[in-house]
Amino acid sequence: MRVLSGDDVRTALPLATAVARMKEAFASLARGDAAVPPRTQLAAADGAGVTLVMPARVDGKGRALAVKVVSVFGRNPGAGLARIQGAVIVLEPETGRPVALLEGSMLTAIRTAAASGAATDLLAPARSEVLAVLGAGVQARAHIEAMCAVRPISRVRVFAPTTARVAALIGELAGRTAGGPEMSRAATAADAVRGADIVCAATTSATPVFDDADLEPGAHVNAVGSFTPGAREVSGATVARAWVVVDERAAAWTEAGDLIRARDEGLIGADHVRAELGELVLDPGLRPADPGQPTLFKSVGVAVQDAVAAAAALEEAERRGLGAVVDW
């Protein structure tokens, strides 16, 4: 069995490659070439977090079989641990034999940002140059890289309540991508969002993180932080006027509070979701008739992403000899 650390996963699965693989993953889901059972959620006894179990099988050209176990515990940072902990077991599709164990939080960050990258590539204006990022965690970092992989981003404005976290994010990415976009800390969410072509919301907030009035006409929004019915990063007003795409309808209407609460407030109906991401991959002509209408990709994450991303990372890791091989 090959064991890959987070650094191994990042090396084996660069964002540009991951975006292409996520398009393949969602296309497989839309064609019915993937089996993705509803994920199991197990809450901690004290309510401190939740553990999710996510299996998936992909058939056809990109065969893959994997199970991810990921935990989200909000108090972890106070103990010096990442909020998201996880592992992905890759199984041989023909036999079910375990062949790899991958660090799950890095894989989750990459595949989530890559899905947003795929949606952005299909929906955002081709000359999108200004990116607003709300949040300063792992997902914010990955989303900046993913957006730069699909659009000619020249300016990135980051807002999060903690100044030190934003400074650390900017310092890390500036050092990693010399000659990249100009990066700055926005004083407020409004300062970040106004004038932005693309907005990425990647926070732990349970309430909207920007005002609809600040969103530019025709801007594209990726919302990935909330994944429970009671939490939302995007206001009902933005959801109601946006052209909405989701990763999977069933998952979105079960977990995406951004949509569920807008529906419960009478602002939208179930038909407000225009497409799943895989449908958009298969038919890139799907898009708003009005170029001034904002687009919104709402993602709660589906296991087909993990299976395809893990298989891609393992393939490259084996080619390059990354990770450790242990007896099993």
Side-chain angles (χ1 to χ4, degrees), residues 30-111:
R31 285 193 301 262
D33 290 338
V36 186
R39 61 186 171 195
T40 299
Q41 296 196 18
L42 180 65
D46 61 356
V50 61
T51 295
L52 311 173
V53 181
M54 303 170 61
R57 188 195 75 238
V58 181
D59 302 321
K61 180 181 176 181
R63 295 188 70 188
L65 180 62
V67 179
K68 182 172 79 171
V69 179
V70 61
S71 297
V72 184
F73 278 63
R75 300 175 191 167
N76 279 7
L81 296 172
R83 176 173 167 265
I84 298 176
Q85 301 285 327
V88 179
I89 302 173
V90 179
L91 309 171
E92 193 173 61
E94 298 81 6
T95 66
R97 177 174 65 95
V99 292
L101 179 67
L102 284 66
E103 196 278 324
S105 60
M106 179 59 68
L107 188 82
T108 299
I110 292 171
R111 63 80 146 154

Side-chain angles (χ1 to χ4, degrees), residues 29-307:
L29 188 63
R31 285 193 301 262
D33 290 338
V36 186
R39 61 186 171 195
T40 299
Q41 296 196 18
L42 180 65
D46 61 356
V50 61
T51 295
L52 311 173
V53 181
M54 303 170 61
R57 188 195 75 238
V58 181
D59 302 321
K61 180 181 176 181
R63 295 188 70 188
L65 180 62
V67 179
K68 182 172 79 171
V69 179
V70 61
S71 297
V72 184
F73 278 63
R75 300 175 191 167
N76 279 7
L81 296 172
R83 176 173 167 265
I84 298 176
Q85 301 285 327
V88 179
I89 302 173
V90 179
L91 309 171
E92 193 173 61
E94 298 81 6
T95 66
R97 177 174 65 95
V99 292
L101 179 67
L102 284 66
E103 196 278 324
S105 60
M106 179 59 68
L107 188 82
T108 299
I110 292 171
R111 63 80 146 154
T112 302
S116 293
T120 301
D121 195 33
L122 292 163
L123 290 171
R127 294 302 306 170
S128 297
E129 296 185 359
V130 181
L131 169 64
V133 177
L134 306 175
V138 172
Q139 280 295 348
R141 288 167 168 79
H143 271 74
I144 291 171
E145 294 185 57
M147 298 306 105
C148 290
V150 299
R151 286 296 182 268
I153 302 298
S154 61
R155 284 180 289 162
V156 179
R157 301 193 293 245
V158 183
F159 172 73
T162 307
T163 303
R165 295 191 69 193
V166 177
L169 181 154
I170 291 174
E172 178 186 333
L173 290 183
R176 188 188 303 169
T177 57
E182 172 190 330
M183 299 187 63
S184 63
R185 178 184 181 271
T188 65
D191 289 338
V193 172
R194 290 172 187 159
D197 302 301
I198 301 169
V199 178
C200 294
T203 76
T204 59
S205 177
T207 56
V209 292
F210 65 89
D211 289 336
D212 178 64
D214 294 324
L215 188 66
E216 294 295 323
H220 174 68
V221 179
N222 297 304
V224 304
S226 62
F227 61 95
T228 62
R232 61 177 170 185
E233 294 177 293
V234 179
S235 71
T238 296
V239 171
R241 73 183 181 101
W243 201 84
V244 178
V245 175
V246 298
D247 41 16
E248 185 187 38
R249 285 183 177 84
W253 286 117
T254 300
E255 299 179 337
D258 312 69
L259 305 184
I260 293 168
R261 294 185 66 181
R263 180 198 62 194
D264 292 349
E265 291 165 355
L267 297 174
I268 64 171
D271 60 352
H272 192 70
V273 172
R274 302 306 178 93
E276 293 184 350
L277 181 53
E279 296 167 352
L280 204 61
V281 174
L282 295 177
D283 183 3
L286 286 172
R287 57 183 58 253
D290 177 6
Q293 183 178 14
T295 54
L296 167 64
F297 173 56
K298 176 57 197 173
S299 171
V300 294
V302 290
V304 69
Q305 298 172 256
D306 303 299

